[in-house]
Amino acid sequence: MITHDQIWGALDAIAKTNAVSPSRMALNSGLDATTFNKSKRVNCYGKNRYPSLRTVTKVLNNANITMSEFGKICDELGRKK
């Protein structure tokens, strides 16, 4: 099972691998610069917010990463815990 932390961690790892900030990665992917702000990962009631599949797809296409590779990054993060 992939967790909230793994999904956001994978997006952060993709930014780091590409030597850009999460904000720059969002802009490069055609998204708002604040899309990946840590404050947007939880709603005002403290519930986890997940990025949409559309958002993830834009990032993966921009970074030339397959969904399978994204899943592997998530799995690796899960094993590190």
Side-chain angles (χ1 to χ4, degrees), residues 16-44:
K16 187 175 182 178
T17 298
N18 288 290
V20 296
S21 68
S23 294
R24 174 49 55 192
M25 181 175 70
L27 289 171
N28 291 347
S29 300
L31 302 164
D32 184 89
T34 65
T35 300
F36 301 125
N37 284 2
K38 297 207 186 274
S39 64
K40 292 193 172 186
R41 299 177 185 197
V42 178
N43 70 18
C44 61

Side-chain angles (χ1 to χ4, degrees), residues 32-71:
D32 184 89
T34 65
T35 300
F36 301 125
N37 284 2
K38 297 207 186 274
S39 64
K40 292 193 172 186
R41 299 177 185 197
V42 178
N43 70 18
C44 61
Y45 302 107
K47 289 195 157 219
N48 290 338
R49 290 181 65 191
Y50 291 83
S52 71
L53 182 57
R54 178 181 166 269
T55 296
V56 172
T57 301
K58 284 185 170 204
V59 169
L60 297 182
N61 287 339
N62 183 61
N64 200 29
I65 295 173
T66 67
M67 188 61 83
S68 178
E69 291 168 326
F70 181 72

